[in-house]
Amino acid sequence: MTVVGPFGLSVRDQALEADVQAGLVAVEEGLLEATKSEVPFITGAAQHLVRAGGKRFRPLLVMLSSQFGDPYAPGIVPSAVVVELTHLATLYHDDVMDEAAVRRGVPSANTRWDNSVAVLTGDFLFARASQILADLGPEAVRVQALAFERLVTGQILETAGPQDGRDPVDHYLDVLGGKTGSLVAVSCRFGAMMSGADETVVDVLTQYGERLGVAFQLADDVLDIASDSDESGKTPGTDLREGIPTLPVLRLRERAARLGLAEDIALCELLDSDLSDDARHGEALRLLRAHPALEQARRDTVRYAEEARAALAPLRECDAKVALLELCDAVVHRAG
């Protein structure tokens, strides 16, 4: 048994491992090429997060999904570069919106330079992704455009918050479907589509990616609270400090409203206070780590991962399917 990709994913077949590894190496080269500019400053800013590394979760899904058709088809690596460039661009923008100081263990672009540079660099990456996409054909452009619309809609819905009478947890899960699920789904779709896989296979893998993407983000939510180190690639409790209502917090508020327990209400009040104060922030983290809401968020993560697993049932049995199933387990493992 060998290991490849994020989370120590096991790949039992040597030919599959070779294909995936070669694909990821080609994607890495493609990312560096796509982020070059005639202006050295732009190259430095655009490659800042590329060189910081990352799981390359989305390109990995492109490679594994391509195994259900011709994994050597010419559009596979460029489409993987497109989804990763798009993802990277959103990180530059997210860090500005969240005022994040660290990303992938390095200073965020807005910290190293400023917000304007970070936003414009994200725009530059979107532009480069669009250039590559144009060579993949009108259907690829349409698929990416629809996913990007969903991604932006999810971000807007998160910013606007739930409408009156809407369950905050349901609203949040819809947000994640747009912000995260859409691009993970496209990763699977591109891999299958570019490989020439049957349309039913493309649809199955797209559904799998949507659910896995939500599970992946829910695991990040749990990790933001539960980790004692920078396991998530950013400072633990960042979302908490910035007042971003992740699932553990929403589950806490739901429980406080339903049961009316004094300790739950007190913790909600602490979360509503100024968590830029390190002492308050540390206390909030400590209390949330011991709260049933965190375990509920873990169960929600498992549920979405199991839905992703179930979506793969129609696919033929092969090593690529086994690897996709193991990714469901790996996402859950991240959440503890």
Side-chain angles (χ1 to χ4, degrees), residues 282-300:
E283 178 67 2
L285 269 179
R286 185 186 68 79
L287 292 171
L288 267 176
R289 284 169 179 166
H291 197 278
L294 185 62
E295 184 55 37
Q296 177 62 56
R298 285 195 176 99
R299 289 197 295 271
D300 293 324

Side-chain angles (χ1 to χ4, degrees), residues 50-67:
V50 174
R51 294 188 181 279
K55 303 175 189 68
R56 303 295 187 250
F57 180 52
R58 292 155 189 81
L60 174 65
L61 287 170
V62 175
M63 298 305 146
L64 289 174
S65 297
S66 74
Q67 293 290 321

Side-chain angles (χ1 to χ4, degrees), residues 146-188:
L146 290 172
F148 192 52
E149 179 186 354
R150 287 190 60 208
L151 192 158
V152 174
T153 299
Q155 184 64 69
I156 292 171
L157 287 175
E158 180 180 59
T159 303
Q163 294 181 344
D164 289 344
R166 181 82 198 280
D167 179 74
V169 171
D170 289 343
H171 170 83
Y172 183 65
L173 293 173
D174 283 348
V175 165
L176 295 192
K179 278 188 61 179
T180 306
S182 61
L183 194 57
V184 176
V186 163
S187 302
C188 295

Side-chain angles (χ1 to χ4, degrees), residues 241-262:
R241 191 186 293 275
E242 299 302 327
I244 298 171
T246 58
L247 192 62
V249 173
L250 291 173
R251 287 301 189 192
L252 164 68
R253 296 189 188 281
E254 177 185 62
R255 175 186 163 100
R258 186 178 74 252
L259 301 179
L261 299 177

